[in-house]
Amino acid sequence: MTLELGGIHHLTAVTADAPRNLKFYTQTLGMRLIKKTVNQDDTSAYHLFYGDGVASPGADLTFFDFNTLRETRGNHTVGRTGLRVDSQETLQWWKEHLEANQVSTSGIKERFGHVSLDFEDFEGQRFRLVVDDKNTVIPWAKSPVPTDKQIIGLGPITLSVPTLEPTDAMLTRVMNMRQVRHYPARERNGEVFVYEMGPGGPAAELHVSVDPSLPRARPGAGGVHHVAFRTPDQQSLREWIDRVNSFGIRSSGEVERFYFTSLYFREPNGILFEIATDVPGFAADEPMESLGETLSLPPFLEPHRAQIEAGLQPLD
């Protein structure tokens, strides 16, 4: 039986203004803060997780809070993040809602197989709202966005690379994705190639934008740190570890993140990939009804809580 990924698990981006980030994603985008924790590799930085009403895998948009300059755009990074909504009528609602909140938007039209709407946050983080009529939102009752207009989850994610072949080999030969279609890129030179994993559809698509004329991106606020893909449990993750190792790819090996277990490695154009388990999830250390209301720390950081809290800025 072929080992397959289940879709997008989460995407981790970078902000240099955690309080404003929290306000934008919970108030303007209406997402639920499902976990307020710290970067486990740099506990001076928040790691904020936003999601749907029950913190579903595949709905997690997360941010590291780093004191950094803005990203310089280019290749070798994630260029745009998809967010799914249920209909074209909902896209029109979002266009009006975003513009009422002083967020510029594109027109609504078909882009690379999906009717969509583009916008950016206050730091230039690039998003594309896309129609997903196969899945329904699990709403957050306290969201300022109406229940039927809330974001379902992530996907598709767009990578920006200078050459297709090395990335294609990683996606198809190692990660068992399927190249299903391609389009001329409309905003600039080059093409966009669409890959599916597992069940397919916008929740399980990766788009690869190929343009050799772009410079190398410089990481920073408004940029993306990594994209993560879904696997059900630790057993399947260990199968992925064995598979990645069998190709001689340098990786992290198994990394315990407490809310999920992960494997990290880079595709040949340098973009950081993660494969993460759906379990145990974000209710592992706090009740579902109060997710994100206090600072959560995994057990190995709990003895250092006082020191960690002292080093964090208030989010209010």
Side-chain angles (χ1 to χ4, degrees):
M1 186 173 177
T2 302
L3 193 59
E4 285 195 314
L5 297 165
I8 307 300
H9 185 281
H10 68 268
L11 179 130
T12 296
V14 178
T15 182
D17 189 341
R20 192 174 176 190
N21 179 275
L22 176 64
K23 183 177 179 181
F24 181 84
Y25 287 91
T26 59
Q27 297 304 307
T28 305
L29 294 193
M31 301 179 78
R32 182 181 185 186
L33 179 66
I34 58 173
K35 191 66 61 178
K36 178 169 62 175
T37 185
V38 293
N39 181 340
Q40 293 180 15
D41 302 312
D42 176 7
T43 59
S44 68
Y46 279 110
H47 193 180
L48 303 177
F49 291 75
Y50 305 102
D52 65 7
V54 296
S56 303
D60 307 335
L61 177 62
T62 95
F63 286 86
F64 291 144
D65 170 37
F66 291 147
N67 182 16
T68 184
L69 299 174
R70 291 281 181 93
E71 176 199 43
T72 299
R73 292 176 177 176
N75 276 326
H76 307 280
T77 192
V78 172
R80 192 174 292 274
T81 299
L83 300 171
R84 295 174 288 120
V85 297
D86 67 355
S87 68
Q88 193 163 335
E89 291 72 24
T90 297
L91 281 184
Q92 183 60 44
W93 182 91
W94 274 101
K95 183 173 178 63
E96 295 168 6
H97 170 73
L98 289 168
E99 291 178 351
N101 284 276
Q102 290 74 55
V103 178
S104 297
T105 70
S106 70
I108 296 173
K109 62 181 181 180
E110 183 171 319
R111 296 175 177 88
F112 314 123
H114 304 287
V115 179
S116 62
L117 171 72
D118 289 355
F119 71 97
E120 299 178 8
D121 79 356
F122 62 95
E123 292 177 302
Q125 188 71 236
R126 289 171 284 178
F127 291 103
R128 175 166 293 148
L129 286 164
V130 304
V131 173
D132 176 6
D133 58 7
K134 300 292 191 291
N135 295 287
T136 56
V137 69
I138 303 176
W140 174 38
K142 297 179 182 178
S143 175
V145 172
T147 297
D148 61 340
K149 302 293 190 289
Q150 290 180 33
I151 292 166
I152 299 170
L154 294 174
I157 305 298
T158 302
L159 311 183
S160 293
V161 301
T163 54
L164 178 67
E165 290 74 16
T167 297
D168 175 87
M170 173 70 82
L171 299 182
T172 58
R173 292 176 56 203
V174 180
M175 301 176 73
N176 291 331
M177 296 189 194
R178 311 174 294 276
Q179 188 188 125
V180 291
R181 57 188 190 273
H182 74 274
Y183 302 86
R186 297 174 182 176
E187 286 84 10
R188 55 177 186 262
N189 297 325
E191 294 181 292
V192 172
F193 296 81
V194 177
Y195 295 80
E196 284 185 345
M197 62 200 100
E205 278 185 8
L206 195 65
H207 293 192
V208 181
S209 176
V210 182
D211 183 356
S213 71
L214 293 178
R216 178 180 286 272
R218 187 191 69 201
V224 170
H225 189 273
H226 66 270
V227 57
F229 306 98
R230 294 178 65 178
T231 197
D233 51 31
Q234 286 187 320
Q235 176 57 43
S236 61
L237 181 73
R238 286 165 186 156
E239 292 177 34
W240 278 111
I241 292 170
D242 290 343
R243 181 170 180 82
V244 167
N245 288 342
S246 75
F247 282 88
I249 297 165
R250 183 179 178 183
S251 78
S252 65
E254 184 174 320
V255 179
E256 180 53 62
R257 295 301 192 193
F258 190 61
Y259 309 113
F260 43 84
T261 309
S262 299
L263 167 70
Y264 298 87
F265 56 96
R266 291 189 184 273
E267 58 83 40
N269 274 301
I271 300 169
L272 183 60
F273 283 175
E274 175 183 356
I275 298 175
T277 61
D278 285 352
V279 293
F282 293 99
D285 61 349
E286 56 183 347
M288 180 64 70
E289 59 270 20
S290 59
L291 290 180
E293 294 180 6
T294 60
L295 182 71
S296 293
L297 296 175
F300 71 92
L301 290 178
E302 192 60 50
H304 310 287
R305 174 176 288 273
Q307 179 184 354
I308 290 170
E309 289 181 338
L312 295 170
Q313 64 171 320
L315 289 175
D316 312 302

